């Protein structure tokens, strides 16, 4: 079965950086056919899109993270990344990785906590 494991979260001061990783396993087909994305959920709020990268490499970002976050993928390593710079307290959330194909139920990871605080 497909598993997604996020890592790289932690506590960071405002203005700092973190790099999240999402490693996929159990995929029957090549991961290159999947879209990958990062979502986040802050306490008391709904889960929201942070960034996505398609199978073709096109990227999309939430307005709140444009210019600060960068999503990338390494299909050979079956891994997606989220480079987060200039972090703000409002970026504090649990960050989730998603693997998806059109018309199919997406896969989700368990999440990794990111806390931005001085």
């Amino acid at each position: 079965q497909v598993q997604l494991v996020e890592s790289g979260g932690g506590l960071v001061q405002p203005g700092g950086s973190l790099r999240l990783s999402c490693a996929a396993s159990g995929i029957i087909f090549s991961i290159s056919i999947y879209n990958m994305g990062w979502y986040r959920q802050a306490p008391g709020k709904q889960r929201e899109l942070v960034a996505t990268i398609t199978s073709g490499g096109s990227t999309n970002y939430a307005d709140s993270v444009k210019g600060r976050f960068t999503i990338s993928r390494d299909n050979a390593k079956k891994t997606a990344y989220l480079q987060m710079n200039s972090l703000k307290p409002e970026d504090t959330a649990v960050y989730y990785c998603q693997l998806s194909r059109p018309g199919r139920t997406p896969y989700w990871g368990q999440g990794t906590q990111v806390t931005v605080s001085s």
Side-chain angles (χ1 to χ4, degrees):
Q1 70 196 54
V2 175
Q3 285 190 319
L4 302 176
V5 178
E6 301 98 334
S7 62
L11 174 64
V12 64
Q13 292 186 341
S17 298
L18 284 174
R19 189 193 194 204
L20 305 183
S21 298
C22 171
S25 62
I27 298 172
I28 297 175
F29 304 106
S30 170
I31 197 171
S32 64
I33 68 172
Y34 289 90
N35 301 320
M36 304 186 78
W38 288 96
Y39 292 72
R40 67 187 181 187
Q41 187 166 18
K45 295 188 177 181
Q46 290 189 333
R47 191 173 298 189
E48 63 176 5
L49 180 147
V50 176
T52 59
I53 183 165
T54 68
S55 57
S58 297
T59 58
N60 181 54
Y61 296 92
D63 288 342
S64 59
V65 306
K66 281 181 181 176
R68 300 188 297 122
F69 291 12
T70 303
I71 188 171
S72 60
R73 61 191 292 167
D74 185 333
N75 291 334
K77 295 183 178 180
K78 299 181 182 179
T79 300
Y81 304 97
L82 185 68
Q83 178 66 44
M84 306 186 294
N85 299 328
S86 302
L87 282 161
K88 304 175 181 181
E90 50 263 44
D91 294 318
T92 295
V94 178
Y95 283 71
Y96 297 90
C97 178
Q98 186 200 63
L99 189 70
S100 65
R101 291 173 61 192
R104 303 292 182 93
T105 301
Y107 301 101
W108 292 93
Q110 291 300 307
T112 185
Q113 176 70 47
V114 172
T115 302
V116 184
S117 175
S118 54

